[in-house]
Amino acid sequence: TEDGRQRPDCIINLPGGREIVVDAKVTVDAYLAACNEPDGALRAQHFKAYAAGVERQCKLLASKEYQAALSDRFDFVIMYVPGENFYAAALEHAPGLLEYAMAKRVIIASPTTLVMLAKSVGLAWREHHRNQNVVEAAALASDLYRRFAVLLGHVETLGKSLDKSVGAFNSLVGSSE
């Protein structure tokens, strides 16, 4: 783009030419600082800072406009957070985070969510290939039917020719007797 190169961490291809963009650049420094902080008030501040950082990352991902760079082949960006605990802490300390992210066309995904998404994509591809195989089998069956119809036409012509030949042979034998 005019702002430089924009490259997501991962693009998951979907049937039909659609894509899911995955970005995994969430910083967890504030979260780790909160976990190591014995003072409750400071711990809460670190968790708030962590949640604010996740929200900033959502805003940043939305501003990258991967849709424009990737020909609008997808509907949202997946923002991967590296653990269920990181995901839960962000939601706990920023209650409106999910709605904010969805409004920005960003879906926050934990490892479990991402694995389930990947399995769903795998099932979609399997279904897509199965449907392609069904269409191909139907085309082959149609071609086979058409060829058998031609073959049966030839068999019918051969049968009529054999009947004429047997009739001519019988006339010959009858004349000679």
Side-chain angles (χ1 to χ4, degrees):
T1 68
E2 58 231 20
D3 297 332
R5 188 171 178 178
Q6 298 212 15
R7 187 172 172 186
D9 294 316
C10 175
I11 296 176
I12 300 172
N13 295 312
L14 299 172
R18 303 295 289 171
E19 296 173 330
I20 296 173
V21 173
V22 180
D23 196 293
K25 294 177 183 76
V26 174
T27 181
V28 295
D29 293 339
Y31 176 88
L32 296 174
C35 290
N36 293 325
E37 181 58 55
D39 182 1
L42 287 174
R43 184 177 320 117
Q45 284 179 349
H46 286 302
F47 276 129
K48 285 280 188 196
Y50 167 69
V54 172
E55 196 168 306
R56 270 192 313 277
Q57 185 64 24
C58 282
K59 187 176 183 179
L60 177 67
L61 287 177
S63 73
K64 285 187 176 185
E65 295 184 3
Y66 286 127
Q67 294 89 336
L70 297 173
S71 304
D72 209 22
R73 294 183 303 247
F74 66 97
D75 300 316
F76 51 85
V77 176
I78 301 284
M79 182 175 74
Y80 177 74
V81 293
E84 305 300 326
N85 51 334
F86 299 113
Y87 182 71
L91 295 180
E92 180 182 341
H93 296 283
L97 181 61
L98 281 180
E99 292 81 13
Y100 175 79
M102 290 300 277
K104 298 283 188 186
R105 294 175 55 178
V106 174
I107 295 175
I108 303 170
S110 66
T112 302
T113 310
L114 194 60
V115 166
M116 296 322 264
L117 177 69
K119 286 192 175 280
S120 296
V121 168
L123 290 172
W125 272 112
R126 227 175 298 148
E127 186 70 24
H128 177 73
H129 289 302
R130 186 177 303 132
N131 290 343
Q132 281 183 325
N133 288 342
V134 166
V135 168
E136 187 177 329
L140 289 172
S142 175
D143 186 47
L144 185 62
Y145 174 80
R146 189 177 41 76
R147 289 176 183 225
F148 267 119
V150 170
L151 176 70
L152 289 176
H154 292 311
V155 168
E156 185 179 353
T157 302
L158 178 63
K160 287 178 183 176
S161 295
L162 286 175
D163 281 344
K164 281 184 179 179
S165 295
V166 168
F169 178 77
N170 286 343
S171 293
L172 172 73
V173 170
S175 291
S176 68
E177 285 178 352

